[in-house]
Amino acid sequence: MANVTVIGAQWGDEGKGKIVDWLASRADAVVRFQGGHNAGHTLVVGDQTYKLSLLPSGIVTGTLSLIGNGVVLDPWHLKEEIAKLEGQGVVINTSNFAIADNCPLILPIHRELDGLREAAAGSGKIGTTGRGIGPAYEDKVGRRAIRVCDLAHLDDLDSQFDRLCAHHDALRAGFGQPPVDRAKLIADLKEIAPSVLQFAEPVWKRLNTVKKAGARILFEGAQGVLLDVDHGTYPFVTSSNTVSGTAASGSGLGPSATGFVLGIVKAYTTRVGAGPFPTELEDATGQRLGERGHEFGTVTGRKRRCGWFDAVLVRQSCAISGVTGIALTKVDVLDGMETVKICTGYRLNGKVLDYFPSHAADQANVEPIYEEMEGWSGTTAGARSWADLPAQAIKYIQRVQELIETPVALVSTSPEREDTILVRDPFVD
C-alpha cells in the first residue's frame, strides 16, 4: 500500500478538503507539512459541514492527525479551531492529534506587521490573508522564531526575545508604531502555552514509527503550486513551498515516503487576491462560474476570480510537483454550458509559448490560446461512475488529461464524500 501526497495544482481552492477527507477515512495518519491557518478546507460529511484552516482534515474522521514542522502555527487560532470542532462533536486529544515541537509560532506582532505592510503597499499589494504567515516564515529563516518547544522555556529566552524584538522594533518604527510590548507578549505566550504544549512532541519520530509499521500516511498540502514561493506567480505567492517535495522537509520523513502524488485540479480556474490570471473571465460567464461554484474563500470570504481551464498552468504544476494523477473537481459547475474552452498555449510578443513565463510583466501580458469544445446539457452532479456522466463531459475530461499530460485518478462530482468516481486508487500505487 502506498502513501499519498495531496497538493493543489492551481492557485488553491481546488476542493482539496473533500478529497483529503475522502482519503483520510482510508489512511492511518494525516500530516500537514506547510502553510498555516491561511489554508481553508471545507468538509461536508453527511449533514455536517466542517471548516478547517489549520488542523489536518483527518481530525474529523478520528484519523491520527499531525502538524509537521513546515507549518507556522498560530496558537490562539489553534485553540479556537479546536474548540469549534469539539462543539461540533469532533474528539481531539493526544491520541489522535500532535504538533511538531519544532514548529515556528505566529505571534501577534506577525499579524500586525502583515497588516501594516499591506496597508502601506498601495498598488503593490500582494493580497495576503493578513494572518501573519509571511512574517512568521521570515523570522524562521532569520533564526529569530519562537517555536512550540520554546513555550516550555519562556523564562529562559532572553537572547531570543532580544533578537526578535530588535528586528521588529526597527520595522515598527518605520511604520510609526511603538516598540513591541515584550512583557505583554511573554505574558500572552505563558497563558496560551498549556493549550499547545499538551499536543507537542517530535512529530518526525511519530511518523517514522507509523512508517515502519507499514501504515498508510496522507500528506496534506495547503494552497496550490501556483502560489509556491519559488515556482508560483511571484511575487503574488504564499511564503512557503507548496510543491510535493516539501512533504519530506516539512514533516520529517524522507522523500521516498511521499508516495503517490495526487494533484487536485478544478475543472475551471479560480484565484483569490491579486496577481496574473490569463484565462480570467470578467463577464457573465465568469460570474456564472462563480455563482454556480460558490466561489468564496473559506478563510477570507473573498470572492474568487473565475476563468476557463488553463491546461498550460496545470501541466506545468504537474511537472514541477511530479504529480502521479489528478483529482478533477467541480465538473458539475460546467453543466448546461453550450460551449466550454480550454487554454492550450499563450501568445507573447508574437511568439507562442507552451509554458508560463517567470517574469511578472510577461505573466501579465500573455494572451491565452483557446480550444473550444461542445458543452453538455445533462448533469454530472452526484455521478459515481463513468456511466453516469454525459458523453461530452467524458470527452472534456479526456481532453484535459491529454493536455496536462497527467492521468485522471479521481473525479469529484459534488461536495459529498461518496460522490466520487475512482479511476485509480492512490493508496494502491
Side-chain angles (χ1 to χ4, degrees), residues 271-273 286-287 290-291 295-297 300-306:
R271 177 164 201 171
V272 171
Q287 185 174 346
E291 290 173 352
E295 296 297 350
F296 295 91
T300 63
R302 290 183 291 181
K303 184 178 179 180
R304 296 176 186 138
R305 300 154 64 191
C306 298

Side-chain angles (χ1 to χ4, degrees), residues 8 11-14 16 34-36 38-39 221-225 227 238 240 242:
W11 278 295
D13 305 310
E14 302 95 347
K16 289 187 294 295
Q34 49 78 218
N38 55 340
Q223 291 92 36
V225 174
L227 292 173
T238 192
S240 63
T242 60

Side-chain angles (χ1 to χ4, degrees), residues 27-154:
D28 300 299
V30 182
V31 57
R32 276 280 311 272
F33 57 85
Q34 49 78 218
H37 63 305
N38 55 340
H41 292 171
T42 300
L43 313 182
V44 179
V45 183
D47 60 354
Q48 188 76 267
T49 298
Y50 305 94
K51 292 186 180 293
L52 309 179
S53 55
L54 180 60
L55 293 171
S57 298
I59 201 71
V60 172
T61 61
T63 306
L64 174 62
S65 297
L66 307 169
I67 292 180
N69 57 276
V71 173
V72 284
L73 184 134
D74 184 320
W76 295 275
H77 177 86
L78 175 71
K79 184 177 180 180
E80 291 175 5
E81 192 167 324
I82 288 175
K84 183 178 179 180
L85 286 180
E86 287 179 336
Q88 292 182 277
V90 177
V91 175
I92 302 174
N93 53 43
T94 54
S95 66
N96 68 358
F97 177 58
I99 304 166
D101 56 4
N102 53 344
C103 260
L105 297 177
I106 298 174
L107 306 174
I109 56 175
H110 294 135
R111 294 194 297 271
E112 292 168 11
L113 180 58
D114 213 351
L116 289 168
R117 283 174 169 169
E118 280 290 274
S123 61
K125 286 184 179 180
I126 292 173
T128 76
T129 59
R131 298 194 165 205
I133 310 294
Y137 272 118
E138 289 176 37
D139 279 349
K140 173 185 176 178
V141 298
R143 294 165 292 182
R144 296 179 295 270
I146 304 299
R147 303 187 299 170
V148 167
C149 55
D150 293 326
L151 292 174
H153 303 274
L154 289 170

